[in-house]
Amino acid sequence: NKSDEEPMYGPFLEKQGKNNVAVLPWESGTFEGDYCGETYTEKRIVTFSFMKQTIGHTLVEVKHTQQLRREGDDRCIVQIKMEMKGELCC
């Protein structure tokens, strides 16, 4: 975000045991939600990975596309699209 506050999301993911955490800066512009068709004014990409235990251990790679728009001083609409690669079941 555009504040001088300490980052929150990356450290949170790392505390949850996620690896290779990358939280890209917010981009400003006009972005459309893939499924809802709503318009957002900011977007960022977050990637990380983790090991999931199934029969063995499988590396799962995650990509979040986060979009938001602010409405006034007290409302923020957020959309998160998540893509995952790796063995997720079993």
Side-chain angles (χ1 to χ4, degrees):
N1 72 34
K2 296 175 181 147
S3 73
D4 293 328
E5 296 176 13
E6 290 293 316
M8 182 179 75
Y9 196 55
F12 168 77
L13 290 171
E14 291 169 347
K15 285 180 186 173
Q16 300 303 309
K18 307 311 181 211
N19 303 307
N20 304 312
V21 174
V23 180
L24 299 181
W26 288 101
E27 299 174 40
S28 294
T30 302
F31 308 99
E32 185 173 317
D34 291 343
Y35 302 103
C36 62
E38 291 196 47
T39 301
Y40 301 91
T41 57
E42 296 181 61
K43 176 173 95 169
R44 74 175 175 186
I45 305 293
V46 176
T47 58
F48 59 90
S49 62
F50 64 94
M51 295 301 289
K52 176 163 178 62
Q53 182 159 353
T54 56
I55 295 172
H57 285 86
T58 303
L59 178 66
V60 177
E61 297 175 331
V62 181
K63 176 183 175 183
H64 286 180
T65 301
Q66 302 175 346
Q67 300 183 112
L68 70 83
R69 77 171 176 270
R70 298 177 198 281
E71 295 180 349
D73 292 333
D74 61 351
R75 187 169 180 188
C76 181
I77 311 299
V78 178
Q79 177 198 51
I80 299 175
K81 179 175 90 173
M82 182 169 45
E83 301 172 44
M84 299 178 81
K85 294 180 186 175
E87 188 66 41
L88 304 175
C89 61
C90 301

